[in-house]
Amino acid sequence: MKKIFFFLLLSGLFFAQKKEVIDLSKSIKDSKNTYKSFSVIDQRPNKEIGSILFHKNQVDIVFENDPSKDISDWFYKYNIAKGNDELVLLLENISISEDIKEKYSIGKLELRASTFKMKNDVYHFVNRIDTVATISSRNTPYLSQSLAKKITLSLADLLKDSYSKTTWEFGISENDLASYPSILIDKLDVLKTDTLKEGVYKDSYSFFTHNPEPGYTIETNSKGVAIKAVKGDDKKPIRNFYAFVHNGVPFKIIPVGYVEIFRDEIGLFIEVKKEELFPESSSTMVMLGGGIGGLMGSIVANVAIVAIDANAAKKRKAMAGTEVSLDPLTGNYILPENFGKSK
């Protein structure tokens, strides 16, 4: 009887201490073998990731060994060390929490990490992810498994995107890694100058460092809509760029056209509708000269001609817009909470 009781006690302890190991098996291969080595710096203030309750038992989300070893092994599993430089992954935060409701619960993942190219002991920023994701038990009873998978997918996307991202020219020391965002942002001319350089900007890095593509001018159609960037015989659709400045006004390219970029004391932002950033279908898209997309005649007016066409402007203003900030380090959208939801 005592043996049975002891076995049941051990079984209870075992199930109460269940762990969900983060599965780092997704391919993160760099087909160009850009880097000769890879390392991880774990700067997380809290090394514990968090836990989720499953049938009243706590399930801890964990790495198999520790993140530095596991992520390094993951990288070398899929990549042959070649290239000339070292890729460094900086872990800043990985935390999971759970909001338990009466009949369901919501698991929340907060993840922030960055990549750097290290040359001569100096760190050059490449890429970052700073995300919050929520998963409801209404959609899956296996919250711990889903959140652990989300960690894997997020880190995989960060690393794979880093292989082709532009490396920042500005370098910082290892001692400054903890405060790298403020150090780098302080160097961005586009946030300081009152006079923007005319032209097109191929990516977010060139825009925020204020370096337009040399020699290109903006070509407009008969309505004054910017449609192409022209350099001699070379003509590129305006949609191929991240942003452009025309007659002193900056514009951000979005899926349905482009919108003006504004600046306040915090940074740069656009005013946009959810339907304009994330069109549900391209079936209603029409193409203007040069390839600007627009949802003409649908719920979303063509953004590109708002400043030209009074009817389009009136239709667009009738839809509630939201300020969406632009991340100066990645150019990504920083979406406010409940973006696009009815109030």
Side-chain angles (χ1 to χ4, degrees), residues 48-259:
E48 301 294 326
I49 294 176
S51 60
I52 296 292
L53 285 180
F54 182 70
H55 295 317
K56 298 182 179 181
N57 293 317
Q58 178 176 303
V59 181
D60 296 326
I61 289 86
V62 299
F63 285 94
E64 185 174 4
N65 299 291
D66 67 78
S68 297
K69 177 180 178 357
D70 291 350
I71 298 174
S72 291
D73 291 346
W74 183 27
F75 178 86
Y76 286 115
K77 176 182 178 181
Y78 290 100
N79 293 284
I80 300 173
K82 291 185 178 180
N84 298 310
D85 304 302
E86 178 179 357
L87 180 65
V88 178
L89 174 66
L90 177 69
L91 294 179
E92 301 169 69
N93 180 41
I94 306 177
S95 62
I96 284 176
S97 58
E98 183 177 20
D99 184 8
I100 301 176
K101 308 291 186 180
E102 185 176 350
K103 295 183 178 181
Y104 67 98
S105 62
I106 298 176
K108 179 180 180 181
L109 166 66
E110 298 178 68
L111 192 153
R112 185 170 63 254
S114 305
T115 54
F116 296 82
K117 178 187 289 186
M118 187 168 70
K119 296 186 294 184
N120 300 321
D121 296 325
V122 177
Y123 293 80
H124 297 265
F125 178 79
V126 178
N127 197 14
R128 80 186 301 208
I129 184 171
D130 188 356
T131 186
V132 176
T134 57
I135 301 176
S136 172
S137 62
R138 288 174 167 175
N139 300 323
T140 173
Y142 307 107
L143 282 182
S144 59
Q145 186 179 74
S146 297
L147 290 166
K149 184 177 180 180
K150 183 64 177 176
I151 293 174
T152 300
L153 294 176
S154 298
L155 292 175
D157 287 344
L158 171 64
L159 290 171
K160 289 191 291 185
D161 289 345
S162 296
Y163 301 149
S164 59
K165 276 276 188 177
T166 302
T167 301
W168 282 48
E169 179 183 349
F170 312 123
I172 58 177
S173 67
E174 185 169 351
N175 291 334
D176 289 332
L177 283 178
S179 55
Y180 80 87
S182 59
I183 293 174
L184 294 180
I185 290 173
D186 187 57
K187 295 179 179 293
L188 299 178
D189 291 340
V190 77
L191 301 177
K192 303 174 183 179
T193 182
D194 293 327
T195 304
L196 297 178
K197 297 176 183 177
E198 295 279 315
V200 289
Y201 297 80
K202 65 177 181 179
D203 53 26
S204 61
Y205 176 74
S206 64
F207 178 68
F208 280 96
T209 55
H210 207 198
N211 289 301
E213 292 297 282
Y216 282 91
T217 57
I218 306 295
E219 181 179 293
T220 61
N221 63 12
S222 59
K223 292 185 177 181
V225 179
I227 55 173
K228 296 178 182 177
V230 180
K231 181 180 180 181
D233 294 332
D234 183 17
K235 297 184 178 183
K236 299 181 185 299
I238 205 73
R239 68 173 184 271
N240 289 1
F241 298 90
Y242 176 82
F244 68 95
V245 176
H246 185 50
N247 294 331
V249 180
F251 295 94
K252 172 72 178 72
I253 309 297
I254 63 174
V256 297
Y258 54 81
V259 289

